[in-house]
Structure formats: C-alpha cells, structure tokens
Amino acid sequence: MKQPTIDWPAAVKPLLKKYKNTQHPLEAANLYQWIVMVVLSAQSTDHVVNLIAPEFFKAFPNMRALAKAEAELLFPYISKIRNFRHKAQWLVKTAKAIKNDSNIPLDIDSLVELPGIGRKSANVIRRGAKASPEGVIVDLHTIRVANRLGIVNTTTPEKIEKELMEILPKKEWDAGMAMSFLGREICRPKPQCPICLMKKVCTYYNGWKTGSTVKKKVAKK
Ligand code: SF4
C-alpha cells in the first residue's frame, strides 16, 4: 500500500510533547562547556565525553583559561577521545579567537565558522543554550527514524535538515532532536514498534511504499 498523505506538523506533536523536557545526553552546564563537549563528542560517545569533562573543566574552566593553553596541555585530559590531537588544536584555536565566554556567538553562521563545529553541532549548542532553533538537529538516530517514519527519504543529513525545515513549522524544529531521542530509546536499529507512539503514522511499521524503498534502506543499517 502506498504511503497515505500525512499531516506531519500534527503527527510529530506527540513526539515533541514526549521529549520536550529531555536533556541532551551531554552534561554541559554553560555555553562554553557546550562548545567544548560538542567538539569532543564528534565520532566519540557522549558517555566518554561526560566522563572526562569534570577534570577538563577543572583545568580549563572557561574560554579565557583555554586561550592561554597550548594544545599539548589538553592531551592528558582528552586522550580517551577519538581524534583528540586535532580536537585539542581546534579548541585552543577557538578559545584564542573568542577569548572570553561573553564573546561566544550563538548564531548558526558564526558557530559553523568555528573549527570542529558543523550544522548539527551548532544546532545542538543552540538547543543547549535554550535558544530558539535556527535549524533541525540531524544525527545518526534522526536519520534512521526520519526515514523509517517516511517523513524524508534520504540519508544525507543536509537534505534531511532542509526537508524537515520545509515540512515542519519553525516552532516544531525540535522534532529532529525528538526523533533522535526516539531512536535512542525505541526506534533502535532493532525497533520496538509495538510500544512506539509513532506507529500509526510510520511507513516502516505499516509497510507503506514510498517513492523508493525506505524499509529496505533502513533495515540494512
Ligand atoms: S513504529 Fe517502529 S519503525 Fe516506526 S518510528 Fe516507531 S519504532 Fe521506529
């Protein structure tokens, strides 16, 4: 059966409601910590970043302290993080450019200029700072869930973000993070569809056909 027309802005409301107060797994306490932890978390796990963060922030409590350091000084604190040498250089470069926490930018265009920060990271930082969304967070979980739902039919993060920004009104742009939370809890690689609040509108669960073979594509992951 073909995928029926779905009113996605209405369909994602329960998902947004369920996760609206859910904190991002990174345990950052302020904007400076968000910048550092988001850079460190790329291709690493949030769990490892949370583990090393307290000692790191004791040694480098703010941008000003970090700006005085050389990259090598960071190594002992972040050696468990993948690609830590490059990340240390990026963080020190950022700190030397920004100098003080009060200068940290919050607009997406400025954030993505910083080394190690792409659109997903910039969107996560803005969410952490409780700023209104300027984009949609698209991580690996979002990619899987959005395709299974059938709200998009592409695995390219930039395309997914653009499409979700077109399909959903701005006040619902936190849906990317909500899909990510659903992907971490329920719509895991082996999905728990019977307990999922999105099953009525889900292409994967209902076996609907889209323009392409969504079900096959995500099942291979
Ligand atoms: S119904 Fe199943 S496949 Fe669809 S979003 Fe929920 S868990 Fe994922």
Side-chain angles (χ1 to χ4, degrees):
M1 186 184 160
K2 233 179 111 199
Q3 182 192 36
T5 304
I6 302 214
D7 177 355
W8 286 111
V12 298
K13 276 191 196 329
L15 191 63
L16 284 162
K17 191 175 169 203
K18 175 169 174 157
Y19 292 112
K20 72 173 182 216
N21 295 320
T22 306
Q23 300 297 313
H24 192 279
L26 287 175
E27 293 160 4
N30 55 45
L31 193 46
Y32 162 69
Q33 293 192 3
W34 274 110
I35 299 264
V36 171
M37 293 177 82
V38 161
V39 168
L40 292 178
S41 69
Q43 294 166 342
S44 230
T45 67
D46 295 339
H47 177 67
V48 176
V49 176
N50 287 336
L51 279 182
I52 61 105
E55 286 304 310
F56 183 95
F57 291 129
K58 224 185 267 176
F60 308 104
N62 49 39
M63 280 290 173
R64 190 195 287 251
L66 194 56
K68 288 184 192 146
E70 294 305 324
E72 291 74 20
L73 276 179
L74 278 58
F75 290 174
Y77 299 93
I78 61 172
S79 59
K80 289 195 176 79
I81 302 285
R82 191 175 289 185
N83 199 16
F84 72 91
R85 290 185 178 82
H86 278 122
K87 289 176 180 173
Q89 282 162 5
W90 294 340
L91 288 173
V92 169
K93 194 173 169 196
T94 292
K96 287 187 192 307
I98 290 180
K99 294 186 177 66
N100 272 303
D101 290 3
S102 57
N103 299 332
I104 298 174
L106 249 190
D107 64 289
I108 295 260
D109 290 344
S110 303
L111 282 168
V112 298
E113 292 284 306
L114 301 174
I117 296 184
R119 273 198 73 92
K120 183 199 86 181
S121 300
N123 284 322
V124 169
I125 290 165
R126 283 186 61 84
R127 187 179 193 269
K130 300 199 185 327
S132 62
E134 277 185 7
V136 176
I137 294 169
V138 177
D139 63 13
L140 287 174
H141 304 286
T142 315
I143 294 170
R144 182 176 65 252
V145 175
N147 276 281
R148 282 177 173 168
L149 285 172
I151 190 169
V152 299
N153 189 12
T154 168
T155 52
T156 308
E158 295 77 17
K159 281 192 194 161
I160 294 176
E161 183 181 7
K162 192 165 173 279
E163 288 184 20
L164 291 178
M165 287 166 73
E166 284 168 8
I167 295 166
L168 301 173
K170 197 169 184 180
K171 64 180 168 46
E172 290 180 351
W173 283 0
D174 201 35
M177 195 67 227
M179 285 181 214
S180 174
F181 287 131
L182 186 75
R184 292 161 202 254
E185 276 183 17
I186 291 164
C187 191
R188 297 179 62 80
K190 192 175 173 200
Q192 297 175 266
C193 301
I195 59 162
C196 180
L197 80 172
M198 297 300 284
K199 66 186 177 206
K200 275 191 188 157
V201 294
C202 179
T203 290
Y204 181 95
Y205 178 72
N206 291 291
W208 294 326
K209 288 192 175 50
T210 57
S212 173
T213 50
V214 173
K215 191 167 177 176
K216 266 191 207 158
K217 189 168 56 180
V218 293
K220 275 190 217 152
K221 279 175 173 280

